[in-house]
Amino acid sequence: MFNLQLGCDSNNAAAFGVNPPIPATNLATASIASKDPVETELHTAVCSGKVTLAAAQQAIATDWITALAKLELN
């Protein structure tokens, strides 16, 4: 699932669904509310040319909790 900040088509109903489960190894530090700053940071990084849109989308789709670290943005 992608978000609007990272190029999600707002007319594509399939893009809006339930967030994927939080990986069990990250349950202690995760909450859905804490995903918003990650999305914003990735959006900023894409717009400033620090990372590609494809890399940001892949990182957040794979594991949003570690996305910034994987892209060396934190």
Side-chain angles (χ1 to χ4, degrees):
M1 182 173 101
F2 297 110
N3 62 63
L4 292 174
Q5 290 193 63
L6 294 175
C8 176
D9 179 359
S10 63
N11 294 315
N12 180 358
F16 296 96
V18 177
N19 280 309
I22 297 168
T25 56
N26 296 322
L27 284 175
T29 59
S31 75
I32 297 304
S34 65
K35 186 177 179 187
D36 289 341
V38 174
E39 293 171 346
T40 300
E41 183 68 26
L42 289 173
H43 176 257
T44 301
V46 168
C47 290
S48 68
K50 291 181 181 177
V51 298
T52 66
L53 176 59
Q57 289 174 331
Q58 179 63 34
I60 201 164
T62 303
D63 182 356
W64 66 268
I65 296 167
T66 62
L68 297 177
K70 284 182 184 177
L71 297 172
E72 299 178 358
L73 294 173
N74 61 351

